[in-house]
Amino acid sequence: MSDLLTVRARLAAPAEAVRHALTDPAELRVWLAEHAEVELPRRYAFWGRFTPEGDAPQQRLLHVDEHILRFAWPLDGVETTTEFELTPEGETTVLTLRQSHFDFAEAMSGSSIRGVLQTFWALGIANLAARLEGRPLLPRTDFTSADLRGELTIAASMDRVWQSLTDSEQASAWFGYPIGIEPWVGGRYAMGGFESGYAAKIVDLEPGRKLSVDWGPTGISTWELAESAGKTKLTFVQSGFDEGNPPYAAWSGSVAGLAELRRYHEMADWQPIWLSVEMPTADATS
């Protein structure tokens, strides 16, 4: 069953600035897509290697006004619907994304490109937030490549970053989801916490510098730290997967999470951008 995916984020900019970033083609090429063309109220399209099935522009604009942008987007033979809604809150804006035809089973199996929709938009919104906050962008997912690697610099010491990567409480805070971590080789790395029923396995660990987790079919995630002018350079790599079916959904979600890891360390009054939403409902955006 496909569900209506709903994601909400509070962005540190007034609604006019957020709308500009969403509708200006030059801005879209910075934080979302390799190519973009926008001529409101007639056309809204983005494509290229950072877009699922991005060989050509496929979106069809359905509605646009001051607060809502809605477009159709064919993916894997199905016309999905994407909607952005902006709610001004003083000098900040709540962005609500609604995406039809998302199936979590497809995300887990990689059986359809539609399975990447949740984490594709999570990474996109994380980069939109970074753009609006004046921070460097995270690596965008290249859907034409099986080379899943990226890096970012965090304005914090290696020791602090290491602790936040390997301490269950800190990792759960910045990732926004319970994570149980046994920080030793052979230890568990449990998304959802130790009681969730599934745990990946830590297969390599160099204290203060490197952590590798084996997820099974989606491969091995490796976080590696290096000192960089008083800051920490974090290199993140996914390896050991079927290169004929790269785990783009898992990769995009992991990279999106690193946005909050950086904000967690760099903001004295850190609060995550993500806001709670109601449980998804069946059917599509109307």
Side-chain angles (χ1 to χ4, degrees), residues 204-283:
D204 191 13
L205 187 146
E206 298 179 26
R209 198 183 76 84
K210 182 179 179 182
L211 173 70
S212 295
V213 177
D214 188 346
W215 300 96
T218 58
I220 296 173
S221 299
T222 297
W223 298 262
E224 190 164 0
L225 307 181
E227 196 274 338
S228 178
K231 301 179 181 181
T232 300
K233 184 176 77 172
L234 188 155
T235 301
F236 183 61
V237 179
Q238 193 80 3
S239 61
F241 51 82
D242 175 8
E243 294 193 0
N245 186 23
Y248 293 128
W251 167 258
S252 300
S254 295
V255 176
L258 298 180
E260 286 302 333
L261 172 64
R262 181 173 62 188
R263 295 177 78 252
Y264 176 80
H265 284 287
E266 295 185 351
M267 299 178 69
D269 56 349
W270 170 78
Q271 292 291 329
I273 67 169
W274 309 108
L275 302 173
S276 61
V277 297
E278 297 179 357
M279 293 297 290
T281 58
D283 212 341

Side-chain angles (χ1 to χ4, degrees), residues 160-176:
R160 288 181 58 208
V161 175
W162 176 257
Q163 289 298 320
S164 64
L165 284 172
T166 56
D167 176 78
S168 298
E169 183 176 351
Q170 291 189 54
S172 299
W174 61 259
F175 195 73

Side-chain angles (χ1 to χ4, degrees), residues 39-79:
E39 296 179 10
L40 301 180
R42 296 179 300 277
R43 179 169 171 77
Y44 188 88
F46 54 91
W47 70 101
R49 59 197 176 102
F50 303 130
T51 302
E53 292 189 345
D55 291 347
Q58 301 188 68
Q59 297 79 18
R60 177 170 55 88
L61 188 60
L62 300 175
H63 174 83
V64 63
D65 60 31
E66 185 179 358
H67 298 296
I68 292 177
L69 172 70
R70 185 184 307 123
F71 55 89
W73 183 9
L75 287 169
D76 198 13
V78 173
E79 185 170 278

Side-chain angles (χ1 to χ4, degrees), residues 176-200:
Y177 189 71
I179 304 177
I181 304 171
E182 294 174 337
W184 55 80
V185 173
R188 294 175 294 171
Y189 193 101
M191 297 298 294
F194 291 128
E195 306 304 319
S196 66
Y198 173 78

